[in-house]
Amino acid sequence: MSYPKIVGVDVAKDVFQVHGVDALGATLFNRRIKRAEVLGFFSDLSPCLVAMEACGTSFYWARQIAARGHDVKLIPAQLVTAFVPRGKTDANDAVAVTETLKRTNIRFVPIKTSEQQGLAVLHRVRNLLVRQRTRIVNAARSHLAEFGLATKLGRQDVEMMIELVRDKPDIELPAIARVALDELGEEIATINARLGRIDKLLNKAVKADSELQRLMTIPGVGVQTALAIKAFVSDPNAFRSGRQFAAWLGLTPKAYSSGGTTQSRGISKMGNSNLRALLFTGATAAIAAARVTGRMDDWLRRLIERKPKKVATIAFCNKMARMIWALLTKGGVYQGASSLRPGSS
C-alpha cells in the first residue's frame, strides 16, 4: 500500500473510518478500523497530515496520534459539513474531512491538553450539580406552597422551611408529605457538600496558577470565569486580536445582508455558551458594584446613560473578552482594577 499524504478520520465510539489520499489527491484507501486498532494503524503509517472533526473525544485521539509522529489538525464540524458528498455515511464523512483539509482558508481548533480537559470536566460537573440543586429547590418550593407554606426567592429560605417542617410536627402537614420533603432536604444537603468539595478543588487550582490570578484582576472575572477560560480556551494566540476572540465567544452583532442592505440583529451567540453566560454574570455584578461604590470609569458611565441595561452589559462583556485576550497573550495584570471592583462569578 502506498503511504498517504493526508488521512481523514471519522471518529466514532467503536468503529472509525479512515480515508487516505496521496500528494495528488488520489484516494489510496477508505476503510473501517475498530477502536482497538486505531493507534496501531497510525503507528504503522509514515508521518503524514491527519485531520478529524473537533469534538469531545477528538482531543484524546489527536494527542495519541500526534505522539506517533503525525501532524494532527482538528477542524470545526460545521466546516466539514459543506463537503459531505450526497448521502451521509461514515465513508463520506471521512472523505469530507480530507476534502476540507485541502482548502487554504480553513481555521483549525487548537488541541487541548489533558489538564485543560480535566478542568473542563470539573467545571461541567459543578454546573450539573447546580442545575440539579435548582430543580430540587424549585420542586420543594412548589410542594410547600401546596400546603400554604410560602417561601422567599432563593434556596436558603427553602432549606430553612424544610428544616422547620422537620423540627415542628405541629405544622399542618401530612406525615407522608413530611417524609418526602425530608428526602428533598437531604438531597439538597448532599449536593451542597459535593459542591463544597468541588469549590475547594477550584480554589486550590486558582492559587497554584499565576495566570488565573492575573485574569481575576479584570473587573467581573471571578474564580469560575477564570477557570472556564483556562479550560475552554486552548490557545489564545490562535486569535489575531481581542475583537476576534470576542467574536468567537458570540459577543459581537450578527450581520444580515441582502440586496445591499446590512442589518445587525443582536449578538451572534456563537462559541461556548457557558463561558459567555459567565462573562455576562460577571459583567452584571461588576456594573452593580460600580453603581453602589460610585467608582465607575467614564466609558462605563457614558455607556449606561445612553444604552439599555442589557445592551450595556453585553458591551461590557465584549470589553472583558478583549481584556482577557490581552492578558493571556501579552502578560501583565489589569491596571485599572482599583477604579472598578470586579464582581465574582
Side-chain angles (χ1 to χ4, degrees):
M1 179 183 70
S2 301
Y3 287 106
K5 189 73 174 179
I6 300 175
V7 176
V9 183
D10 181 44
V11 179
K13 182 178 179 181
D14 298 316
V15 180
F16 290 43
Q17 189 81 25
V18 290
H19 175 246
V21 298
D22 60 17
L24 299 178
T27 298
L28 300 177
F29 57 82
N30 194 353
R31 51 173 290 200
R32 302 171 67 189
I33 56 176
K34 294 182 179 180
R35 180 187 182 90
E37 302 171 342
V38 173
L39 298 182
F41 174 83
F42 284 101
S43 296
D44 295 337
L45 285 182
S46 60
C48 62
L49 190 57
V50 180
M52 61 186 76
E53 290 181 344
C55 63
T57 59
S58 63
F59 297 107
Y60 165 78
W61 292 110
R63 292 194 300 267
Q64 294 296 321
I65 295 172
R68 285 154 177 80
H70 301 285
D71 183 15
V72 183
K73 300 293 185 183
L74 299 182
I75 307 173
Q78 64 268 26
L79 300 183
V80 178
T81 303
F83 299 98
V84 176
R86 184 174 183 178
K88 187 186 184 308
T89 62
D90 291 344
N92 285 344
D93 287 345
V95 170
V97 173
T98 306
E99 288 297 320
T100 306
L101 195 61
K102 295 178 183 178
R103 300 306 186 271
T104 59
N105 60 342
I106 293 297
R107 65 182 187 276
F108 301 108
V109 177
I111 300 173
K112 293 182 180 179
T113 64
S114 58
E115 290 75 15
Q116 286 178 311
Q117 284 190 280
L119 278 176
V121 168
L122 190 62
H123 184 77
R124 292 189 180 106
V125 168
R126 186 184 186 281
N127 287 344
L128 174 62
L129 291 175
V130 170
R131 290 197 301 271
Q132 289 178 341
R133 184 178 63 184
T134 301
R135 293 190 183 103
I136 295 172
V137 167
N138 288 338
R141 178 181 286 108
S142 299
H143 297 324
L144 288 167
E146 292 181 28
F147 298 97
L149 301 174
T151 57
K152 299 177 183 178
L153 293 177
R155 63 180 175 84
Q156 289 83 2
D157 200 60
V158 173
E159 293 175 10
M160 290 174 58
M161 184 62 73
I162 292 175
E163 290 290 333
L164 184 64
V165 168
R166 178 188 300 150
D167 298 336
K168 290 190 175 183
D170 56 321
I171 295 179
E172 185 180 351
L173 195 68
I176 192 169
R178 197 183 300 273
V179 171
L181 289 169
D182 190 54
E183 291 292 334
L184 292 181
E186 290 183 4
E187 188 64 26
I188 293 172
T190 300
I191 294 177
N192 286 339
R194 290 174 178 170
L195 288 172
R197 291 193 292 270
I198 289 177
D199 287 340
K200 286 182 179 179
L201 288 175
L202 296 178
N203 290 327
K204 185 178 179 180
V206 169
K207 291 179 180 179
D209 194 317
S210 60
E211 187 174 65
L212 293 177
Q213 294 174 19
R214 291 192 298 105
L215 285 175
M216 289 176 61
T217 63
I218 298 174
V221 177
V223 173
Q224 300 299 327
T225 305
L227 284 166
I229 292 167
K230 184 81 172 181
F232 298 121
V233 182
S234 305
D235 181 15
N237 291 297
F239 304 97
R240 293 191 301 270
S241 65
R243 293 181 183 277
Q244 190 181 67
F245 178 60
W248 175 74
L249 288 172
L251 295 171
T252 52
K254 183 178 182 180
Y256 177 82
S257 179
S258 178
T261 302
T262 302
Q263 299 177 352
S264 294
R265 299 186 172 182
I267 59 174
S268 66
K269 297 184 180 180
M270 303 295 288
N272 190 299
S273 59
N274 183 259
L275 184 53
R276 186 172 58 253
L278 285 171
L279 288 175
F280 184 84
T281 303
T284 303
I287 292 174
R291 280 174 167 164
V292 171
T293 60
R295 290 180 290 184
M296 185 182 299
D297 60 18
D298 293 337
W299 175 84
L300 182 58
R301 183 178 292 103
R302 291 194 300 269
L303 179 67
I304 293 174
E305 289 174 353
R306 71 176 190 272
K307 295 292 184 181
K309 181 179 178 180
K310 287 189 176 181
V311 174
T313 304
I314 289 296
F316 191 78
C317 287
N318 186 292
K319 186 175 183 179
M320 286 171 60
R322 287 183 276 128
M323 289 189 290
I324 288 168
W325 179 85
L327 261 65
L328 290 175
T329 56
K330 302 176 183 178
V333 297
Y334 178 67
Q335 298 298 326
S338 60
S339 64
L340 182 62
R341 303 306 301 169
S344 177
S345 62

